[in-house]
Amino acid sequence: MLPHTLSEITGPLYGHEKIGEKDNDLTVQHGGEPLGERIIVSGRVLDGNGRPVPSALIEIWQANSAGRYRHSNDQHPAPLDPNFSGAGRTLTDQNGAYRFITIKPGAYPWSNHYNAWRPAHIHFSVFGRAFLTRLVTQMYFPGDPLFAYDPIFQSIPDERARERLISKFDLETTKPQWAKSFRFDIVLRGPEETPFET
Ligand SMILES: [Fe+2]
């Protein structure tokens, strides 16, 4: 068992109120712009037959660009960003597609073992239409040198399954002069299933 910190296993507590206009843009939720590298994260939610899953509620939570969570359990010496809460949510459309605008999270240290650092990641939660099922996973960024040292990433034994957690840089959906883009598809079941946390 890996001793997960609270921020690893709990998402934002949104309740059931209607999704707001700014909920999928984590860079406009406060008075100013958050610091860091602006990115677009988009993809699709697919079932085991490759069919899109519409109206799935996706929630994300993440550290800021300095690698700090806005959470009382995260007291490591990196600055909080007054313009960044690190939480967002959206619904998939009829094609199963979703899109977030956010800031690339920083890597952060944790106390699992000496000199332990988590590779940069965004936590994802996907709710089925009826709120009966919730799947939780983490999205990583390509080429992170910390993959080899991270027991959470390495706890997935199958290398191909691990690779499905790594988003792909996507020049297509990049917005010129404004933001880079990463694609992350979530497959709910089947041989190409995204690894989920239990
Ligand atoms: Fe985390």
Side-chain angles (χ1 to χ4, degrees):
M1 277 293 285
L2 295 165
H4 283 204
T5 58
L6 188 61
S7 56
E8 294 299 320
I9 54 174
T10 53
L13 299 170
Y14 271 118
H16 291 246
E17 76 271 26
K18 210 163 162 262
I19 291 180
E21 242 172 64
K22 295 177 176 174
D23 284 3
N24 73 336
D25 187 344
L26 286 71
T27 69
V28 296
Q29 294 170 350
H30 298 277
E33 286 220 65
L35 293 173
E37 203 178 320
R38 190 189 296 117
I39 58 171
I40 297 164
V41 176
S42 66
R44 294 204 299 160
V45 178
L46 303 166
D47 71 14
N49 298 312
R51 282 184 302 234
V53 179
S55 306
L57 173 64
I58 302 184
E59 295 181 340
I60 61 170
W61 64 101
Q62 63 167 95
N64 69 20
S65 64
R68 175 117 183 232
Y69 283 99
R70 185 181 288 272
H71 193 288
S72 57
N73 278 27
D74 186 351
Q75 296 295 335
H76 99 267
L80 282 169
D81 186 337
N83 290 315
F84 193 72
S85 305
R89 62 179 183 166
T90 194
L91 288 174
T92 56
D93 68 13
Q94 284 312 299
N95 301 313
Y98 72 88
R99 184 172 184 268
F100 288 102
I101 299 164
T102 187
I103 294 293
K104 191 173 180 197
Y108 58 82
W110 60 312
S111 53
N112 182 63
H113 56 274
Y114 174 70
N115 204 9
W117 293 81
R118 294 295 334 276
H121 60 276
I122 297 177
H123 297 269
F124 272 71
S125 155
V126 185
F127 278 106
R129 192 189 278 267
F131 273 57
L132 291 172
T133 49
R134 183 190 190 205
L135 295 166
V136 175
T137 192
Q138 299 182 27
M139 182 203 102
Y140 297 89
F141 293 87
D144 197 314
L146 292 168
F147 288 150
Y149 307 98
D150 181 45
I152 293 179
F153 184 72
Q154 294 296 336
S155 68
I156 300 154
D158 177 10
E159 189 187 345
R160 287 196 56 238
R162 286 201 295 273
E163 280 168 8
R164 292 200 286 276
L165 293 180
I166 305 171
S167 60
K168 297 193 171 48
F169 174 67
D170 183 26
L171 195 63
E172 277 301 278
T173 47
T174 288
K175 202 164 164 188
Q177 319 293 335
W178 194 73
K180 285 189 294 183
S181 196
F182 294 87
R183 279 195 74 81
F184 181 57
D185 289 338
I186 297 167
V187 181
L188 300 181
R189 60 188 75 82
E192 294 301 310
E193 182 177 302
T194 303
F196 296 106
E197 294 164 15
T198 47

